[in-house]
Amino acid sequence: RVGARRNIEAGDAMTGRAVLTELGPDAESAVPALIQRLDDPDLRVRASTLAALTATKAPMKSVQPRIEAAMKDASPIVRAAALEAIGKLGEDGRELQSAVIGALRCAPVGNQFRTSGLDVWARLAEWEAEAPPGEAGSKPIEPAAPAARLRTLLSRSGLGEARPAQA
């Protein structure tokens, strides 16, 4: 029952967002209540509230800290909603550029293999736009070599899991 009630509440919040979007700047008086909804435990409510905040055309000084906090939310859905909200802010969203750049990076989690996709460019000394010279070719490998290489890579990255379907 509790789960069903949360779904109804989340649906109500999403419907409310649609109404606020229709009202646009006339919905500015709803901003304080919306800001409180950003603390809701339901990620769907937090995500839809971000869209509603941008629809109200609220002053940046009141929403900027909350959008920056949403960029660090544990939920990737809320973080994506925050990025989308910044995009809808237009020129006002420029103040949040550093938060966007921070969201595209991630803090290392203890090993060099699990970082942001952008970090790969920092590890390259140099690269070429063209393929290396020479003819393409292929070399035979032993049937057990791919499985052994996969185990080595997983072990070095701190993952001691078996992946028989990938070997």
Side-chain angles (χ1 to χ4, degrees), residues 140-153 167:
I141 58 170
E142 295 296 321
R149 178 71 175 148
L150 178 60
R151 278 192 304 277
T152 301
L153 291 172

Side-chain angles (χ1 to χ4, degrees), residues 120-130:
V120 68
W121 302 109
R123 292 196 303 259
L124 291 176
E126 62 181 69
W127 63 90
E128 296 181 22
E130 302 294 324

